[in-house]
Amino acid sequence: MVYRDRVSTPGSGEAASRPARRRLAPDDRRQALINSALKLFNTRPYDEVSVDDIAADAGMSRPLVYHYYGGKAGVFIAALRQTGDDVVAAIAKAATNDPENWLAASLAAFFDHIQANPIGLTALLSHGSLAGGEDRQVLGQIQDRVLKLILFKLEPPSDSPVLQCVLRGWLAMVETMGRGWLRQGQPTREELETLLPELLRAVLGTAAWHDAAVAAVLPRLPPLRHR
């Protein structure tokens, strides 16, 4: 799902273009606010989006944003959780649809999603983490879910702290390099889709010297595809 329709900053001359306020069931109101928050945070930095912007785009009153989410930070976190659900589902579907090349397919799905919905990687760049670090907690939970998908594909013979640590480090590289691509276009997406599987094989190959479970999963990595 893509939420990147650009929304103009509300102004005195734009009242007629705002969505008409609607009577919705509570769950539909919550989802409408999340959808509007995603559209706005996908196209503007966190500090440039206000509660009034979100309410206006959703066709609701400002008090409803506070009623359902406690303010801007709350609806941002709800939107972040929504995009986390979406990206995990997209990765799982891609890996299932292409089991022979599940790693490349999963990376492609991830890059497709963050290109269309960059909220989790770009909205807070200038603002920094939210008070209490709840955004980092949500991103950590998303990483946990992606880690489980990878472990499901690798089928390690036993629980291995070394394997999980290496995979988490690789996922952090994916996040960091993906953020650089979104901000600067470098490395290019094609370069990332070539480099990241090679990096995963390299770090697992090194860890395999120290951990039997890591050595066991190496043959289960899809073959590298050079372009």
Side-chain angles (χ1 to χ4, degrees):
M1 187 176 293
V2 177
Y3 302 90
R4 293 201 69 179
D5 296 342
R6 188 170 292 278
V7 180
S8 299
T9 304
S12 58
E14 297 178 355
S17 65
R18 293 179 180 177
R21 292 185 178 177
R22 300 165 285 171
R23 290 191 176 277
L24 300 172
D27 286 347
D28 292 334
R29 287 177 178 173
R30 292 187 184 94
Q31 188 60 52
L33 288 168
I34 289 174
N35 292 347
S36 292
L38 281 165
K39 287 200 310 182
L40 291 162
F41 289 121
N42 277 329
T43 55
R44 302 185 203 168
Y46 182 84
D47 289 335
E48 293 181 12
V49 177
S50 69
V51 169
D52 287 335
D53 294 334
I54 297 166
D57 184 78
M60 299 183 200
S61 65
R62 173 188 174 96
L64 282 177
V65 180
Y66 288 96
H67 173 71
Y68 289 118
Y69 294 108
K72 184 172 78 167
V75 74
F76 176 87
I77 291 298
L80 191 58
R81 291 188 189 280
Q82 172 78 62
T83 202
D85 290 344
D86 292 344
V87 72
V88 171
I91 290 170
K93 181 179 179 181
T96 299
N97 290 346
D98 193 356
E100 296 300 317
N101 298 294
W102 61 267
L103 182 57
S106 297
L107 279 170
F110 173 74
F111 287 127
D112 283 345
H113 194 277
I114 66 169
Q115 186 171 22
N117 301 285
I119 175 175
L121 298 183
T122 61
L124 291 169
L125 280 173
S126 60
H127 179 89
S129 187
L130 296 180
E134 190 173 1
D135 55 304
R136 295 308 309 176
Q137 294 174 23
V138 173
L139 291 173
Q141 291 164 2
I142 296 169
Q143 186 185 96
D144 289 344
R145 294 168 67 186
V146 175
L147 176 65
K148 287 182 179 179
L149 294 177
I150 297 174
L151 289 171
F152 176 78
K153 285 294 184 180
L154 293 178
E155 297 181 294
S158 61
D159 289 336
S160 167
V162 172
L163 176 59
Q164 293 198 26
C165 183
V166 170
L167 290 175
R168 285 188 185 278
W170 180 77
L171 288 172
M173 280 196 292
V174 173
E175 178 183 331
T176 300
M177 296 170 80
R179 182 180 287 112
W181 166 61
L182 287 175
R183 293 180 66 191
Q184 302 163 350
Q186 296 294 330
T188 66
R189 173 168 172 169
E190 183 178 33
E191 289 170 332
L192 289 178
E193 290 186 351
T194 300
L195 179 60
L196 284 166
E198 294 177 354
L199 287 171
L200 179 59
R201 185 174 290 275
V203 294
L204 288 176
T206 300
W209 289 96
H210 308 279
D211 188 90
V214 179
V217 304
L218 271 176
R220 297 181 185 134
L221 285 174
L224 296 175
R225 297 190 300 175
H226 294 282
R227 300 183 181 186

